[in-house]
Amino acid sequence: MAHVKHQKWWGWGEEGVFFNYENKPAFAPFVKEAIGVTLRPRERDTVDFSTAHVPASQAPDTVLELLRQINGADNVSTEDELRVIHWAGKSVTELLQTLRNDFHRIPDVVVYPGTEAEVAALMRAAVEHDLVLIPFGGGSSISRSLQPDPSEERCIVSVDLGRLNKVLAIDETSGLATIQAGILGPDMEEQLNARGWTLGHFPDSFTYSTLGGWAATRSSGMQSDKYGDIADIIRGLRMVRATGTVVLRPLPSTSTGPSLREMIIGSEGRLGIITELTVHVHRLPEKHQVIAYMYPTWQQALTAVRQFTEAEIPLTFARISDAHETAFSLATQKKPTSPKGKLAAKGQDALWAIMRKRGWDTDEMCISYVCFEGSPKDVETRKKAVAGIAKKNGAIVLGSGPGALYDQKKFDTPYLRDFLLEQNTVGDVSETAAPWSKLTTVHKAVYDAAERAYASLGKKGWIMSHMSHSYHSGACLYFTFGYVYDDKNPYDEYHTVKSAIQQAFIDNGGTLSHHHGVGLEHQPWMEQDISPEGANILRALFSSTDPGNNLNPGKVIS
């Protein structure tokens, strides 16, 4: 639909935007050393949709007519390209399936409701005519929360909420905004910023994900240290069901039994379709600055960030790249062309020489970024406090230059994944959270598990990690892994590596996912994560609230 933005059908983001390694002189040698791949220039500018072998729509004419009556003829489509865009998210396996025409079962029809009343009518139609409804936001999921069951015989309807894209109201006294669920991150921030406000929620997928999608998957943003995870941000919501609409008023806190709000957040469409949310918003900060630090070792960096938390220094975020990710980041630096850039490169080389003279092993050093927001005075006070703790843990303060570059490029990483797939290389991610006391153990265990998985496949693989999203009791660890895949059997290979990493999380005190949700991808670890009896409660909840199994069936728990 022309009035709703979509990502390209075959990959991440928009057509014409690519990762380019040829202006990054250290990148090709780095990849060759890490996984044995000799990079070749990008050849794929686009993929002609005529190459896609799309299963025919199974939507009966009677159902299509009913959907047109509900949503209007212009807002109902059985067009093949739209059905493919809505058939899956953007995980590596889903992208491989799309490029290899391994579609199996895709939505039969895509609908674009424009009002909550239309969503309610869709819900009633789903129960009456035994349809499957799968809510769709920006399509950025990497946990397979959108894929239909390949054996599903009923008519599958993808419910794209992209027309519900407005900031409806701001309660400036309470710092609350009421916003429609289908709004994309940039559109929401533009509308809020115009009135001097921000949500402060910036996940990696920000450009192509929606507020409702964040709620449905329990998202976290890069700045959650200050603004909170999405579960902290949401105060009220409206969720449509076939039998009525759940309305949770935006109250600061309640003691009204088990939290329905918490039950709905992360439910991935199993309980209903979220149409509207009331969320905390904040005045735009006077100053926003990211400062970079370099630590001699991972452990020293972890200790420093934990001490920031213990000291209760108000930070917007604190992030550490481990030694492998630091090496990767340095390899992605562009070749300097300006006099200023060339001078900065010489300064970096001189700094590395100083580090080596101090006894640093530059293969073990870890870069860290800390974001400060507030009044200029507050920012300076916090920077001084952080610098004191960082230096006590061996760090060198690199300043705002590298931090500004990180801030500019923070949403670009997924384009690298598409580039690697063209090189027959998997590059994917998996993340967890654990207490401070277990982070080092989890980090090492995941590295060991990944290396064993690579060895079992006879492959040279890569893994790297960063720490983000700090809490009083622990933090998130976010891992990226890569290897050359066998074109004959890419899915089993992927399962071997991903499963090893996920099991290492659980076995060493971490959770199956910190912010990517469950979907189908992480479902095998649910019982280990929340206990068999906890899983039974979820099954009972979903079966009682959706007895016909019409609402995104199979996600979260089998």
Side-chain angles (χ1 to χ4, degrees):
M1 291 289 167
H3 50 274
V4 174
K5 300 174 187 176
H6 295 120
Q7 298 187 67
K8 59 192 176 212
W9 74 272
W10 57 273
W12 178 267
E14 61 183 288
E15 293 278 4
V17 179
F18 307 104
F19 173 83
N20 177 25
Y21 78 91
E22 294 177 277
N23 60 357
K24 303 171 182 66
F27 189 73
F30 174 87
V31 173
K32 179 69 174 177
E33 174 65 23
I35 57 177
V37 172
T38 300
L39 293 179
R40 58 184 185 274
R42 175 180 54 79
E43 299 173 358
R44 187 162 61 206
D45 290 333
T46 188
V47 180
D48 190 336
F49 189 73
S50 66
T51 62
H53 306 309
V54 185
S57 172
Q58 300 177 28
D61 289 341
T62 53
V63 169
L64 291 175
E65 181 56 31
L66 175 61
L67 296 178
R68 293 180 186 120
Q69 290 174 12
I70 293 171
N71 295 278
D74 291 342
N75 299 310
V76 176
S77 179
T78 56
E79 180 187 332
D80 284 350
E81 186 167 348
L82 279 178
R83 291 168 54 229
V84 167
I85 286 171
H86 289 79
W87 97 279
K90 299 297 185 182
S91 69
V92 161
T93 54
E94 288 168 318
L95 293 176
L96 275 173
Q97 285 177 289
T98 297
L99 291 167
R100 294 160 64 96
N101 286 307
D102 293 341
F103 290 121
H104 305 304
R105 188 73 171 90
I106 73 172
D108 298 299
V109 57
V110 180
V111 299
Y112 295 84
T115 65
E116 187 178 279
E118 291 177 7
V119 175
L122 284 171
M123 297 292 284
R124 292 191 294 271
V127 172
E128 183 178 347
H129 296 273
D130 199 19
L131 312 176
V132 171
L133 298 189
I134 301 179
F136 187 95
S140 63
S141 164
I142 61 170
S143 59
R144 294 169 57 215
S145 297
L146 298 171
Q147 277 195 325
D149 183 339
S151 64
E152 183 60 70
E153 296 181 352
R154 296 173 293 176
C155 177
I156 300 171
V157 182
S158 177
V159 183
D160 190 314
L161 300 171
R163 294 175 65 204
L164 301 177
N165 59 6
K166 300 290 190 299
V167 174
L168 299 175
I170 299 177
D171 177 347
E172 302 209 0
T173 303
S174 306
L176 294 169
T178 301
I179 305 174
Q180 292 180 307
I183 195 167
L184 289 165
D187 296 337
M188 178 193 64
E189 280 295 315
E190 182 180 3
Q191 292 179 44
L192 289 173
N193 292 173
R195 296 176 61 176
W197 297 87
T198 181
L199 189 73
H201 191 76
F202 298 100
D204 290 353
S205 62
F206 172 77
T207 312
Y208 301 107
S209 56
T210 64
L211 176 60
W214 302 339
T217 56
R218 296 190 73 89
S219 168
S220 291
M222 296 179 187
Q223 300 184 166
S224 66
D225 292 19
K226 174 181 178 180
Y227 296 102
D229 297 332
I230 201 67
D232 305 308
I233 292 169
I234 294 170
R235 301 322 310 159
L237 58 82
R238 296 176 67 88
M239 183 182 73
V240 176
R241 294 173 40 78
T243 51
T245 298
V246 177
V247 180
L248 301 182
R249 295 172 296 147
L251 300 168
S253 185
T254 65
S255 178
T256 52
S259 172
L260 277 174
R261 182 175 58 87
E262 281 291 303
M263 186 186 300
I264 292 167
I265 297 170
S267 59
E268 300 188 17
R270 293 295 305 269
L271 298 175
I273 295 181
I274 300 168
T275 56
E276 187 179 294
L277 299 112
T278 301
V279 292
H280 286 156
V281 289
H282 303 260
R283 290 289 185 186
L284 287 167
E286 289 182 64
K287 185 172 183 179
H288 170 102
Q289 188 174 44
V290 179
I291 301 295
Y293 309 80
M294 191 70 81
Y295 290 85
T297 66
W298 171 248
Q299 190 57 58
Q300 285 169 287
L302 273 184
T303 299
V305 174
R306 176 175 55 79
Q307 289 176 353
F308 301 161
T309 305
E310 289 178 349
E312 299 183 352
I313 304 169
L315 303 176
T316 301
F317 69 74
R319 171 181 172 136
I320 315 161
S321 292
D322 71 4
H324 276 195
E325 188 171 283
T326 297
F328 168 83
S329 297
L330 294 173
T332 60
Q333 290 181 333
K334 290 183 179 180
K335 182 179 180 179
T337 55
S338 67
K340 183 178 179 181
K342 291 176 181 178
L343 184 63
K346 288 182 179 179
Q348 178 176 290
D349 291 341
L351 180 60
W352 285 190
I354 292 171
M355 291 172 174
R356 286 190 285 270
K357 284 183 180 179
R358 291 187 179 184
W360 284 38
D361 180 349
T362 49
D363 290 334
E364 292 297 318
M365 65 186 186
C366 299
I367 196 166
S368 173
Y369 301 98
V370 178
C371 180
F372 304 88
E373 288 185 338
S375 69
K377 180 180 178 181
D378 287 341
V379 167
E380 291 307 310
T381 299
R382 294 164 191 171
K383 281 167 56 178
K384 184 177 180 181
V386 164
I389 293 173
K391 289 176 181 178
K392 286 180 182 177
N393 285 281
I396 292 174
V397 181
L398 301 181
S400 60
L405 185 62
Y406 164 79
D407 229 13
Q408 293 165 15
K409 301 295 183 182
K410 59 190 175 186
F411 301 132
D412 295 346
T413 304
Y415 287 104
L416 172 60
R417 184 183 52 188
D418 287 3
F419 169 77
L420 291 175
L421 280 178
E422 189 180 350
Q423 313 282 327
N424 287 88
T425 299
V426 162
D428 204 16
V429 297
S430 209
E431 34 75 52
T432 188
W436 290 112
S437 59
K438 295 183 178 180
L439 284 182
T440 302
T441 301
V442 171
H443 185 266
K444 182 179 186 307
V446 171
Y447 264 67
D448 291 345
E451 293 300 337
R452 288 194 300 271
Y454 294 142
S456 74
L457 297 172
K459 293 183 178 294
K460 184 178 184 180
W462 176 258
I463 188 163
M464 61 187 183
S465 178
H466 64 259
M467 186 235 79
S468 59
H469 306 87
S470 301
Y471 304 92
H472 173 80
S473 61
C476 167
L477 291 179
Y478 192 109
F479 293 86
T480 302
F481 57 95
Y483 60 91
V484 180
Y485 68 82
D486 183 346
D487 204 45
K488 295 178 182 177
N489 192 23
Y491 307 128
D492 286 349
E493 287 184 343
Y494 178 85
H495 179 73
T496 295
V497 179
K498 179 70 182 278
S499 295
I501 291 170
Q502 291 293 132
Q503 194 61 51
F505 291 164
I506 298 294
D507 290 345
N508 293 278
T511 181
L512 62 84
S513 176
H514 171 260
H515 57 264
H516 285 157
V518 182
L520 297 173
E521 186 74 18
H522 302 134
Q523 195 182 97
W525 293 274
M526 278 293 282
E527 287 200 3
Q528 295 180 67
D529 198 314
I530 66 173
S531 80
E533 190 59 24
N536 285 339
I537 291 174
L538 281 184
R539 290 191 185 97
L541 171 66
F542 293 145
S543 64
S544 63
T545 56
D546 181 27
N549 215 21
N550 302 108
L551 306 180
N552 205 11
K555 308 309 188 299
V556 182
I557 202 81
S558 60

